[in-house]
Amino acid sequence: TEKWIRVADYADITEDDTLGVDVDELPICLYKLNGAIYATANKCTHGDADLSDGLIQDGCEIECPLHEGRFDIRSGKAVSAPCTEHLKSYPTRMEDGVIYIQVG
Ligand code: FES
């Protein structure tokens, strides 16, 4: 069954930036790229770092603040060493200026 959870207001996120939120105790990182919202797990799959503290690079990649591995924000795919395990990514939806993500 689909479960959409309200996570933030659209205006809470700056273009080309991240926002870390906890959804049902699940750490999620939100991103705004060209006005579109994406959501992935916030913990790097390589170690104990929050991707919301990282930098967006090359328009669609998040660079981990700890060892500078990278993931494609749109798919969660690990794209650069030392990251090899993909991030979980979540569908997002916008309604009346509110962002929802689908977690189940
Ligand atoms: Fe993220 Fe190592 S903890 S690249």
Side-chain angles (χ1 to χ4, degrees):
T1 59
E2 289 188 5
K3 189 180 174 196
W4 289 92
I5 297 183
R6 177 184 184 134
V7 291
D9 287 344
Y10 186 73
D12 291 342
I13 312 182
T14 310
E15 176 64 30
D16 262 326
D17 205 356
T18 61
L19 179 71
V21 292
D22 283 340
V23 178
D24 285 353
E25 295 177 19
L26 198 64
I28 300 285
C29 185
L30 301 172
Y31 312 83
K32 189 186 277 184
L33 304 179
N34 290 321
I37 300 294
Y38 299 90
T40 70
N42 198 9
K43 280 281 173 237
C44 184
T45 57
H46 178 253
D48 188 17
D50 287 340
L51 297 171
S52 55
D53 294 331
L55 283 178
I56 294 178
Q57 304 279 23
D58 295 336
C60 63
E61 294 177 3
I62 181 70
E63 182 181 81
C64 177
L66 200 49
H67 310 109
E68 293 161 15
R70 291 192 192 185
F71 301 91
D72 190 313
I73 288 165
R74 302 162 299 180
S75 62
K77 205 169 186 302
V79 291
S80 139
C83 302
T84 53
E85 192 187 326
H86 302 333
L87 280 179
K88 189 157 174 41
S89 74
Y90 300 89
T92 66
R93 180 158 74 79
M94 273 274 306
E95 205 174 291
D96 296 330
V98 175
I99 301 163
Y100 298 82
I101 71 169
Q102 191 183 345
V103 293

